[in-house]
């Protein structure tokens, strides 16, 4: 377990387990479908969040399930949001829709030459500030176990493969 401390507020910190780090690497690995951060690695990203937004991290209270869900908007693009609404797809992109394995899940993907930059970032922490996940783009619910399972969000969103 690695601990990260804010350089602006010594009372603000988060912890990251090796298991979660392995999951988060997918948001930096260009070979996997999905949203990507434009910063070097998860260490750099977490330090940026702690240094730029310590009051938001410290001031967020846990939801009923004990998790803290924090949405950040940067003054610059933090990455690409490669999860888009099917309404944003061109006919050509829609015609490339297929399924692909992403970690332990199978997801719907489309091929596109377009890039969807984002200045948004989502951080989910446990009640005691252990990182559960962090990803670029708008808040999205967890992936269902299969794309065949009905889900109001994922029925209308797909991953972009560039």
């Amino acid at each position: 377990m690695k601990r990260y401390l804010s350089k602006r507020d010594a009372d603000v910190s988060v912890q990251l387990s090796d298991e979660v780090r392995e999951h988060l690497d997918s948001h930096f690995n260009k070979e996997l479908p999905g949203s990507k951060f434009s910063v070097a690695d998860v260490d750099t990203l977490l330090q940026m969040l702690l240094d730029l937004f310590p009051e938001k991290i410290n001031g967020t209270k846990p939801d009923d399930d004990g998790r803290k869900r924090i949405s950040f908007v940067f003054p610059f693009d933090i990455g690409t949001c490669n999860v888009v609404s099917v309404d944003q797809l061109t006919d050509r992109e829609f015609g490339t829709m297929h399924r692909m394995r992403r970690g332990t899940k199978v997801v719907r993907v489309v091929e596109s030459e377009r890039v969807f930059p984002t200045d948004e970032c989502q951080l989910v922490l446990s009640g005691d500030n252990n990182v559960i996940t962090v990803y670029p783009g708008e808040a999205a619910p967890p992936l269902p176990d299969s794309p065949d399972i009905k889900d109001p969000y994922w029925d209308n969103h797909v991953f972009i493969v560039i």
Side-chain angles (χ1 to χ4, degrees):
M1 183 81 69
K2 182 172 181 179
R3 186 170 184 227
Y4 300 81
L5 297 168
S6 171
K7 293 175 184 162
R8 285 187 40 212
D9 185 339
D11 292 331
V12 181
S13 66
V14 297
Q15 295 79 234
L16 179 65
S17 70
D18 290 339
E19 180 180 89
V20 172
R21 175 185 296 278
E22 188 175 314
H23 160 72
L24 296 181
D25 284 343
S26 69
H27 293 298
F28 297 89
N29 181 344
K30 306 291 188 225
E31 302 299 314
L32 295 174
S35 301
K36 303 294 176 216
F37 285 107
S38 56
V39 297
D41 53 39
V42 70
D43 296 316
T44 303
L45 175 67
L46 291 176
Q47 196 62 58
M48 283 174 61
L49 291 173
L50 286 160
D51 295 343
L52 292 172
F53 307 102
E55 65 288 339
K56 219 171 179 182
I57 293 171
N58 211 31
T60 299
K61 303 295 180 217
D63 292 337
D64 290 341
D65 64 359
R67 293 181 173 190
K68 299 177 185 179
R69 290 170 176 84
I70 312 168
S71 187
F72 303 94
V73 177
F74 285 81
F76 52 86
D77 288 339
I78 190 68
T80 58
C81 184
N82 292 341
V83 173
V84 299
S85 168
V86 293
D87 296 339
Q88 292 181 270
L89 300 175
T90 66
D91 289 342
R92 190 198 68 72
E93 290 166 340
F94 193 83
T96 68
M97 191 177 301
H98 62 281
R99 293 174 182 212
M100 177 182 238
R101 182 160 293 285
R102 183 175 187 269
T104 61
K105 310 281 184 168
V106 174
V107 298
R108 294 183 314 154
V109 300
V110 297
E111 296 172 15
S112 177
E113 299 296 320
R114 294 189 296 157
V115 176
F116 299 86
T118 185
D119 59 357
E120 291 184 72
C121 170
Q122 310 301 317
L123 174 66
V124 181
L125 300 170
S126 66
D128 54 356
N129 282 10
N130 289 313
V131 176
I132 295 171
T133 193
V134 61
Y135 56 91
E138 68 181 38
L143 284 165
D145 288 334
S146 160
D148 297 323
I149 296 173
K150 292 292 179 199
D151 181 278
Y153 183 86
W154 290 108
D155 288 351
N156 295 299
H157 289 77
V158 294
F159 286 92
I160 297 289
V161 176
I162 298 174

